[in-house]
Amino acid sequence: MTLTDETRAVRVGVRGVVQGVGFRPFVYRLAHAEGVRGWVLNGPAGVSLHAEGAAEAVDRFLERLRSEAPAAATVASCEVTPAAVEGLARFEIRHSEERGAPTARISPDLCVCEACASEMREAGDHRFGYAYINCTNCGPRYSIIRDLPYDRATTTMRAWDLCARCAEQYADPLDRRFHAQPVACPACGPGYRLVAGGRTLCRDGEAIARAASMLREGGIVAVKGIGGYHLACDARNPGAVRALRERKFRKEKPFALMVGTLEEARSLVQMEDAHERLLTSVARPIVLAVARVDLSWVAPGNDSLGVMLPSTPLHLLLFDEGAPRTLVMTSANRSSEPIAYEDADAFVRLDGIADAFLVGERPIARRVDDSVISVDRVGGRTQPFMIRRSRGYAPLPVASLESDRPILAVGADLKNAIALVVRGEVFVSQHIGDLGEAETDRAFRETAEDLLRMYGVKRRDLLVAHDLHPEYVSTRSAMAFDAAERVGVQHHRAHVASVLTEHGLFDERVVGVALDGTGLGDDGAIWGGEFFVGSLRGGLERVGSIRPASMPGGDAAARHPAQALAGYLHTEEGVAALLAAPVEMPRRYFDAVQMVRHGVRCFETTSAGRLFDAAAAVCGFVRPISFEGQAAIWLEQAARLASGSPDPVRDPSLDPAGLLLALIAHRTAGVGVREAALWFHRSLAASVAARATGLAAEHACGTVALTGGVFQNDLLLSGVARLVEDAGLRAVVNRSVPANDGGICLGQAALASV
Ligand SMILES: [Zn+2]
Ligand SMILES: [Zn+2]
């Protein structure tokens, strides 16, 4: 080797999701292509490499390193420092460095890639028809990892030894399967079997074909996917869907759909580019969009549908084998339990629901439910709006904090997710679910243990952040936790802090608006429509709220919109307004009025969720709800169909009784349900925006943060955001984590860190 003056050497540290996604072979191929010598290896913090050669070659190598990274990789930073020339003869992939405390990011699960999908369909290919085909660009990651570093021996694939052909590909740096940890083939890897009545009916290709035919005939099949079991049936067969509802005890909550192709998805829902980008992204989430077809049994009383594309090779094979072109694909569980992911457990819990089980032999290390996402226009362009953050996203970090202390934030009890802060990075777990049921509570504990173990965090160093509510399962778990220190964080402050953290706003003074169902306030009252002023680091002071009302009957007020209405309108005037058509209330309303008047089991609340329920009741939704947010969703959809509305009112004092009486007056004067619903949305948006902009002027703030589950209502969110922006202010909303309680853990972690 001759070293010329032009020979240049650099060391590069690449951080982000760069392990298990084909990054080293990518570097290797690049080095060969550019004639660069050196080495690359996986270290505890990411990928490290040394490159030397002619100066222009090294420059080109570095440029392509940044611009051509593999699709599944996320490069957070790429640090280049000059190094001494070592006079190396070639470029090589070296063994991983000894393990320090791991900070390398774990890749989320990836959908099957194009190359694998076509190999799988090519007769004569080594993996023809193989449901577990994968490569470094695709396949399971988070759902099979038992420990770090990410190596086959630490995944659920450790039980399968590679055959000679797979081993050769695994060892070849120029192969797409170089160090693809879950690599397997029909000769050496796991398979699928179809089980019914406790017996295995058939295996592999035959099992998949048989399952497809059962689905065609209207059967319900439990299908093991990446992060758990789904229950599948033909979405265009009302009888099959009805049977699924009855067996699953799921009255009206919409089911998600899976279709084989993007064209099929386009025929089902109205999509813009933003929807299609999400639908076809490697995360393969469920995307919510307005329906084009009537599948009312899939989503009763709901004009949106949740659609996803196949995420695993198995799904593709099912469609290839003639499964119905639109499948219901709902998380396999009973009602509100978390998704089943272990075979034995699935057999027990889904007994009587599934006619058969398509059981994959590869174990799932942890349950990872499907993610749900929609699209909004805040800020003048369409952007993703997370509803449920899980498969494909977890456990990626969502933000950075200036804190070296490990923090575990346990979230709230509904839509629970937890966060772990390691060296300033906030890793947010997959969606866990509603706590308070044995299965979900178990999932919660497992997830906490899991994150701590994987990132090597010692409990004695840990600060645990939890909600203020002493009765929350999450709070009680935090109390029982053997941690160094604990801190309680108020629910709505955590909501506001979650938005600020996502946007890196730590010191800016802002107005924070949190509209949601309920959360315990500083004063022991039930809050839910709150205004704050301050900064994340300096503290968020509560400066206002929706005017409080007295809710009768405890939790029942959250299930019965008519009962919530009584909380606002229990005066003579209110009751009288409700005696005349077209606003006729059921008996429950009048009984609830008596409860308020006698102070029976009443509590004060500023909840925006209850206000929406009450408005829905005025517009005709007077039956009990069967899932959280149902009445509000109904009201929003009615409003979307309106041709116009009377002029909205603007009431910065946010007096619910005033708004509701005016709503009743419109209905009584002959304004239609849809137009009245739209009037309510516009009026509430105008009132919330008026309060927020007033506070911004008073406290000299330039930014308004909008958060809380009620802001999942896009009509309200975009309405408030537009008015805030019209006033010359900036509106910020949640993007990476949900605005609902699924995002609380991020805010808790951030407030605990300052
Ligand atoms: Zn692949
Ligand atoms: Zn093999």
Side-chain angles (χ1 to χ4, degrees), residues 282-304:
V282 288
R284 286 287 195 278
I286 295 169
V287 179
L288 296 183
V290 175
R292 282 180 187 280
V293 291
D294 178 21
L295 293 176
S296 49
W297 47 89
V298 169
N302 200 314
D303 66 2
S304 293

Side-chain angles (χ1 to χ4, degrees), residues 113 116 134-135 138 176:
C113 74
C116 285
N134 66 80
C135 70
C138 78
R176 206 171 86 242

Side-chain angles (χ1 to χ4, degrees), residues 111-117 119 133-139 176-177:
C111 72
V112 55
C113 74
E114 298 276 344
C116 285
E119 278 177 8
I133 190 169
N134 66 80
C135 70
T136 46
N137 300 321
C138 78
R176 206 171 86 242
R177 296 197 169 84

